[in-house]
Amino acid sequence: MGRNYKPDPVLKPKSSSTLILCLVGLIFFALVYTIVPLIIKTKPASSNLRIGESLLGVNGNVGGGCCRGIENLELWGAAVKWGSEFKFNTSEECCQACKGLCSGNEGPCLCDTWVFCGNKKDCGTKFGECWLKKQKDTLVPNRQEAGQTSLWTSGLIFGKGEGIIGLETEYGVLNIKLLPDCAPHSIAYILELLPLHHCAGCQFYRAEGRGKSWDSDGNHINNAPFGPPFALLQGTLEAQGTTFKQIPKENCPLIQRGSVAWVGSGPEFFISLSNHEEWKNEYTVFGSVLPEDMEIAEKIARLPTKSDVWNNINVSVLEKPVPLMLRRIKSSKGDL
């Protein structure tokens, strides 16, 4: 977007003592934090167009798979199960019931939307109602009601071959499987950005290959450093002329090769070219690049770069940023 990106640590050491804080910070900075993507996000341009309004989420059962939704939101659609006759105690159970109708290897999902009433006081006799629904278009979900007046919590489920968008570049299209059950706020932003048919200012601006630290499968090589280079592409998904509102932290699994995650609360993001268990659970992962498209990411990582220093860390910045455009993928792709 023509902005001058500056470094800022994503992770900060924690301690109740200033002296200990300094010592621990120095040790961790040397051993771990040097591998973390770094930037300072500048204020977005002002506009009357608001994208990705922040909504409170519902924590899912990470151990059994993500099942998160958005509070104060009612999604519409053809009913598969009527909530008046189908009740649960938690939104997670409602979500899992929808997933249960979307677990086959053949044919479309019978359910891609769940709607739950979980506030005993406000829901009254509707408490526990779990409506399972089917959208005409999962990338354009039908919103019946949103805002504080809505009693409902809603979530989307993308089955096999569904919920895939493309990051189009001059070097090819990176097809990304979105994860609405793990990062519903993030996906709400992406789905609102998608219909714009442009993303002026969206780009990759940092590119670092795997070097000699990770193999072609993304596995760390024994006794090799964790960077630099740090095996990632970094960029922004903030379109000019829009107002971005920070996305709350959502599900943060370990970063794997192909993971697409926010830096902080967005709109800066990165695609990992390697498995980064050393980064722990620090980043909201909202998608995954299809394995067959990772070569395109590797190609971008091999483009000419220039060295820069961000917060005393050596990074590689693309000599020429690579513009991005989001687009729908019409046909099912891959096994995701």
Side-chain angles (χ1 to χ4, degrees), residues 27-49:
I27 295 173
F28 272 55
F29 187 84
L31 296 179
V32 180
Y33 295 162
T34 57
I35 62 174
V36 181
L38 305 170
I39 64 165
I40 285 180
K41 294 171 283 296
T42 60
K43 294 182 179 180
S46 60
S47 170
N48 57 6
L49 176 62

Side-chain angles (χ1 to χ4, degrees), residues 9-331:
V10 176
L11 304 179
K12 295 182 181 180
K14 299 179 180 179
S15 175
S16 58
S17 166
T18 302
L19 178 59
I20 295 177
L21 177 63
C22 293
L23 293 175
V24 172
L26 289 173
I27 295 173
F28 272 55
F29 187 84
L31 296 179
V32 180
Y33 295 162
T34 57
I35 62 174
V36 181
L38 305 170
I39 64 165
I40 285 180
K41 294 171 283 296
T42 60
K43 294 182 179 180
S46 60
S47 170
N48 57 6
L49 176 62
R50 303 187 64 80
I51 291 182
E53 291 294 329
S54 176
L55 296 172
L56 296 177
V58 180
N59 291 331
N61 182 359
V62 177
C66 299
C67 252
R68 296 169 179 253
I70 296 178
E71 292 182 352
N72 306 124
L73 171 65
E74 182 181 4
L75 292 177
W76 210 237
V80 177
K81 289 283 188 179
W82 290 73
S84 56
E85 303 171 357
F86 195 64
K87 294 189 175 185
F88 291 104
N89 290 321
T90 67
S91 62
E92 289 84 356
E93 292 174 297
C94 182
C95 170
Q96 291 292 353
C98 185
K99 282 189 173 184
L101 298 177
C102 192
S103 58
N105 293 324
E106 297 181 0
C109 289
L110 298 178
C111 173
D112 54 32
T113 303
W114 57 270
V115 181
F116 180 76
C117 201
N119 187 306
K120 287 185 177 181
K121 180 180 178 181
D122 295 336
C123 291
T125 58
K126 293 182 180 294
F127 173 72
E129 287 192 7
C130 173
W131 291 79
L132 303 186
K133 303 180 180 182
K134 179 71 175 175
Q135 298 289 328
K136 291 183 179 180
D137 186 343
T138 54
L139 293 181
V140 188
N142 189 352
R143 295 162 61 102
Q144 174 69 7
E145 184 181 15
Q148 294 300 318
T149 59
S150 177
L151 302 174
W152 305 92
T153 295
S154 298
L156 292 172
I157 303 295
F158 289 158
K160 180 179 178 180
E162 298 177 328
I164 297 175
I165 66 165
L167 284 186
E168 186 172 358
T169 76
E170 59 188 291
Y171 302 99
V173 178
L174 293 162
N175 291 287
I176 296 174
K177 171 77 171 187
L178 300 177
L179 305 174
D181 48 341
C182 293
H185 304 87
S186 303
I187 304 312
Y189 172 68
I190 297 297
L191 294 188
E192 291 182 34
L193 192 64
L194 194 60
L196 297 181
H197 302 298
H198 67 83
C199 197
C202 296
Q203 61 182 0
F204 286 121
Y205 54 81
R206 176 183 178 187
E208 301 183 13
R210 291 175 282 105
K212 297 181 179 180
S213 295
W214 292 272
D215 64 23
S216 60
D217 294 323
N219 299 310
H220 185 252
I221 298 173
N222 290 336
N223 301 319
F226 288 98
F230 300 116
L232 59 83
L233 299 179
Q234 189 171 329
T236 182
L237 286 176
E238 182 183 11
Q240 293 177 352
T242 67
T243 299
F244 177 83
K245 191 168 185 178
Q246 289 189 337
I247 297 171
K249 196 172 184 179
E250 301 186 275
N251 189 51
C252 299
L254 294 177
I255 298 295
Q256 301 295 315
R257 176 173 167 83
S259 292
V260 186
W262 298 119
V263 177
S265 298
E268 322 305 330
F269 77 108
F270 67 91
I271 295 175
S272 179
L273 304 182
S274 299
N275 304 320
H276 283 293
E277 288 85 357
E278 75 278 9
W279 290 354
K280 307 301 181 183
N281 307 97
E282 292 297 330
Y283 300 101
T284 293
V285 175
F286 62 90
S288 180
V289 176
L290 269 57
E292 57 265 33
D293 293 333
M294 285 302 295
E295 180 53 38
I296 298 173
E298 296 277 3
K299 184 187 300 184
I300 296 173
R302 294 192 292 267
L303 293 175
T305 59
K306 56 185 178 182
S307 298
D308 200 352
V309 179
W310 291 0
N311 205 56
N312 296 321
I313 297 173
N314 295 322
V315 298
S316 297
V317 179
L318 285 165
E319 291 184 358
K320 181 182 177 182
V322 177
L324 305 173
M325 184 172 68
L326 278 72
R327 67 179 177 90
R328 294 175 59 106
I329 300 301
K330 295 181 180 180
S331 60

